[in-house]
Amino acid sequence: QVQLVESGGGLVQAGGSLRLSCTASGNIVRINFMGWYRQVPGKQRDLVAIINSDDSTNYADSVKGRFTISRDNAKNTAYLQMNGLKAEDTAVYFCNAAVNTRMSLRDYWGQGTQVTVSS
């Protein structure tokens, strides 16, 4: 089994910054991509940023230039540095990872962390 645990969410004023962390633990052989998604009530979960095993990245257009995704492979951890936050960034942020264990390759999700940006 693999668990993803997020941290770092909270309440911040518009223009402020937050850094989210996502740590994977369990019977991990290899972590392929790690990504962040976000969801607001009544809407679908949308991709925010993704980082691959070769450290290549992709971002949603709405966060380009403001958010930075990174990873520390030694710690099985991904980070999302969020700068210049806007009210429309308010959402629950979920970590996602494609993980190889000895038994399988599958996606895992964290429990989500709330980010609220006050205008």
Side-chain angles (χ1 to χ4, degrees), residues 38 62-63 66-67 84-91 93 115 117:
R38 65 187 181 188
S62 60
V63 306
R66 300 188 297 123
F67 291 11
L85 283 160
K86 305 175 181 180
E88 51 264 43
D89 294 318
T90 295
Y93 284 69
V115 171
V117 184

Side-chain angles (χ1 to χ4, degrees), residues 4-117:
L4 300 183
V5 178
E6 301 113 332
S7 62
L11 174 64
V12 64
Q13 289 188 332
S17 298
L18 285 174
R19 189 175 85 150
L20 305 183
S21 299
C22 171
T23 298
S25 62
N27 297 321
I28 298 168
V29 173
R30 171 187 166 89
I31 299 177
N32 298 294
F33 66 81
M34 298 186 79
W36 291 95
Y37 289 72
R38 65 187 181 188
Q39 188 171 26
V40 297
K43 293 192 176 183
Q44 68 180 19
R45 191 173 295 185
D46 292 326
L47 176 68
V48 175
I50 191 168
I51 184 166
N52 297 299
S53 57
D54 62 358
D55 287 340
S56 61
T57 58
N58 284 290
Y59 295 92
D61 288 343
S62 60
V63 306
K64 283 181 181 177
R66 300 188 297 123
F67 291 11
T68 303
I69 189 170
S70 60
R71 63 190 286 176
D72 183 333
N73 292 325
K75 296 181 179 179
N76 289 334
T77 298
Y79 304 96
L80 185 67
Q81 178 66 44
M82 305 185 293
N83 298 329
L85 283 160
K86 305 175 181 180
E88 51 264 43
D89 294 318
T90 295
V92 178
Y93 284 69
F94 295 90
C95 178
N96 172 250
V99 180
N100 281 98
T101 65
R102 289 184 179 180
M103 300 298 293
S104 66
L105 166 63
R106 53 159 286 191
D107 274 8
Y108 292 88
W109 290 90
Q111 80 286 355
T113 185
Q114 177 71 47
V115 171
T116 302
V117 184

